[in-house]
Amino acid sequence: LHVAAHRGSVKLAKFLISYGANPFIVDDQDRIPEEVALRFSNDQVFKYLIKMRIEDTKKKVTRSWSLSLEKKKMELIELEEKY
């Protein structure tokens, strides 16, 4: 992803992410791909990586919320059975 960010290749970034590339990994200068894209003024790659980060965060929040809801449902069921 760092190479895609450096070269400004959204197509390569999409390809790598679709195969599971980690957008949070740092390079030998402790930079994530977003920072590399910014450094080399590759706005389209930067925007794509930010979009992927937002979508990933939304998925995690939704998953966490769903798990919390399921946990609460189970607690209510246990309380109903108990009383």
Side-chain angles (χ1 to χ4, degrees):
L1 277 174
H2 292 81
V3 172
H6 183 263
R7 292 183 181 175
S9 176
V10 175
K11 186 176 180 178
L12 179 57
K14 286 180 179 180
F15 174 79
L16 293 170
I17 286 178
S18 75
Y19 278 91
N22 181 351
F24 303 108
I25 221 154
V26 296
D27 64 7
D28 60 346
Q29 296 176 18
D30 289 327
R31 300 176 302 185
I32 58 175
E34 291 165 18
E35 293 173 293
V36 174
L38 277 178
R39 166 71 177 86
F40 292 97
S41 301
N42 292 321
D43 297 339
Q44 294 303 317
V45 176
F46 177 76
K47 288 176 186 176
Y48 172 73
L49 292 171
I50 290 295
K51 180 181 172 188
M52 290 298 99
R53 181 185 293 252
I54 290 168
E55 288 179 12
D56 184 59
T57 301
K58 284 180 182 177
K59 287 177 188 173
K60 287 178 182 173
V61 168
T62 301
R63 193 175 317 122
S64 175
W65 183 80
S66 294
L67 289 173
S68 294
L69 186 59
E70 285 300 315
K71 183 178 176 185
K72 291 294 179 191
K73 277 174 43 178
M74 294 301 291
E75 289 172 0
L76 286 172
I77 290 169
E78 288 175 10
L79 279 173
E80 286 177 347
E81 290 173 353
K82 191 174 182 180
Y83 297 101

